[in-house]
Amino acid sequence: MTDTDLIDEAVAILARGGLVAFPTETVYGLGADAQNPVAVRRIFAVKGRPAQHPLIVHVASAAELPRWVTDVPPAAVELARRFWPGPLTLVLHRSPRIPLEVTGGLETVALRVPAHPVAQELLRRFGGAIAAPSANRFGSVSPTTAQHVRDDLGDAVDMVLDGGPCDVGVESTIVDLSGPEPALLRPGGIAREALQHALGVPLRQPSAPSVRAPGQHPLHYAPRAQVILVEPPRIVAEALRLEQAGRHVGVLLPPGVTLPENFGGVALPVPLSLELYAHELYSLLRDFDRRNCDVIVAALPPEEGLGAAIADRLRRAAGPRRRGARSRP
Ligand code: TXA
Ligand code: MG
């Protein structure tokens, strides 16, 4: 089958209320027709995601904004002009065309124009809006390859479009433009610095943390292994201490740091630039799981540019553990 045949098949599946996992430049999405509440409810069921946790709606271009939101403020026009298609999501006031199932009951909707050519083609041919969270089980690490999606969701999706590994590797940056001042809800593929430069004003942090604010949920972005964050100079000592305590230790090893030869765990090098690090982050975390590490020792990167998104995901991965997970010895 040619690629266009596959995309036509995906469009047909979406049109009859099915679920299609598709590549974006950030992570793979689990897509359904955003205007079909039954299909949207299936996304929540397949992911095991709480129904009040809103989804991102993907559209083909910024020209579609007026179709899906009640008003398009100048800041949205400017950010869309500069950063779409791309890893930026804008929260705006929902048009009644977006069902409340998508927004978890909120009067706002999160919209994004993805840059991946397969996502673009899918959206253009479908002609509507595609609601899609990351295509993983709720709380686990987002998928950056089609294989990750198959590993996580198996037969629960009707089709997986394979567009190769995702370029950016971490989710989109989410900016809330529905209030009086723009707020950064989630750091991601577009740096805060670039957004502030475009807007000419600083981005507010979200006021009260709630599970509705993206990624605020403690179960987000976690591998199976426990993640322990330490200052870079303590990485080796902490890895050895945990190994001595009987743990199967994974280490995200920064450049220039070496472990003693008798270290029996799994050391994976931190990629050399923030771009590469973001690109590899979720694959690295999955690798530690695949090799049965029960704990991962890591340090945070500098929090500038993409480093803010990487640090955010590592912190959440190190956050409160799921029920049944091991606690620190
Ligand atoms: O890069 C991405 O954004 C990927 C790809 C597939 O586009 N999608 C993604 O979706 O990361 P998901 O569902 O894993 O995360 C979406 C986040 C959620 O944490 C949710 O709370 C937030 O977006 N969100 C959605 N609608 C919102 C709204 N109306 N107000 C505030 N936050 C919202
Ligand atoms: Mg997600």
Side-chain angles (χ1 to χ4, degrees):
M1 255 203 262
T2 66
D3 285 0
T4 28
D5 287 339
L6 287 172
I7 289 177
D8 284 341
E9 191 187 330
V11 167
I13 291 170
L14 291 173
R16 61 169 189 263
L19 300 186
V20 174
F22 64 97
T24 81
E25 73 280 25
T26 57
V27 301
Y28 275 72
L30 176 60
D33 178 357
Q35 291 185 276
N36 180 336
V38 177
V40 168
R41 279 198 289 269
R42 243 188 96 202
I43 293 181
F44 287 90
V46 164
K47 273 190 69 101
R49 174 165 168 139
Q52 79 284 2
H53 207 85
L55 305 177
I56 292 178
V57 173
H58 299 70
V59 297
S61 78
E64 294 216 11
L65 273 182
R67 197 171 152 200
W68 307 108
V69 303
T70 53
D71 113 279
V72 184
V77 175
E78 183 56 17
L79 293 185
R81 188 179 70 77
R82 300 240 199 160
F83 300 108
W84 279 354
L88 175 67
T89 295
L90 299 178
V91 174
L92 295 162
H93 292 281
R94 165 186 80 90
S95 133
R97 288 196 185 91
I98 302 281
L100 287 167
E101 277 81 359
V102 170
T103 69
L106 297 176
E107 286 307 325
T108 53
V109 59
L111 285 163
R112 147 164 143 79
V113 176
H116 195 291
V118 172
Q120 277 281 322
E121 191 60 23
L122 180 66
L123 285 161
R124 270 198 300 269
R125 282 171 189 252
F126 181 58
I130 300 178
S134 51
N136 54 287
R137 303 249 174 230
F138 184 66
S140 71
V141 174
S142 296
T144 53
T145 67
Q147 189 56 47
H148 293 165
V149 178
R150 292 187 204 103
D151 292 347
D152 279 7
L153 301 178
D155 294 340
V157 291
D158 300 306
M159 184 179 189
V160 181
L161 282 171
D162 190 341
C166 302
D167 264 357
V168 179
V170 291
E171 297 83 349
S172 60
T173 303
I174 304 181
V175 175
D176 186 354
L177 295 177
S178 69
E181 297 154 46
L184 184 80
L185 298 186
R186 177 178 73 183
I190 302 279
R192 167 195 279 272
E193 295 88 332
L195 293 163
Q196 294 184 154
H197 184 77
L199 288 169
V201 292
L203 284 163
R204 231 177 10 91
Q205 297 290 353
S207 35
S210 79
V211 285
R212 286 193 173 180
Q216 301 277 359
H217 203 286
L219 303 185
H220 251 76
Y221 313 113
R224 232 178 16 251
Q226 176 190 9
V227 175
I228 294 181
L229 297 176
V230 297
E231 293 301 318
R234 287 196 45 236
I235 285 189
V236 172
E238 183 68 0
L240 296 176
R241 182 187 77 79
L242 288 161
E243 183 164 60
Q244 243 147 44
R247 310 288 296 270
H248 187 40
V249 183
V251 184
L252 267 172
L253 204 62
V257 179
T258 47
L259 285 155
E261 238 158 61
N262 63 352
F263 175 68
V266 177
L268 300 175
V270 168
L272 289 173
S273 68
L274 289 174
E275 282 67 29
L276 282 172
Y277 197 176
H279 177 76
E280 291 297 315
L281 177 66
Y282 291 144
S283 280
L284 289 165
L285 295 179
R286 279 171 189 265
D287 257 14
F288 289 121
D289 276 350
R290 208 166 37 76
R291 301 188 196 198
N292 297 317
C293 295
D294 54 49
V295 61
I296 300 167
V297 181
L300 296 178
E303 296 193 43
E304 56 209 35
L306 273 176
I310 298 166
D312 173 77
R313 304 308 188 269
L314 283 172
R315 273 200 206 92
R316 295 186 194 292
R321 304 302 299 159
R322 272 163 288 190
R323 232 176 316 161
R326 285 179 193 235
S327 61
R328 192 177 172 164

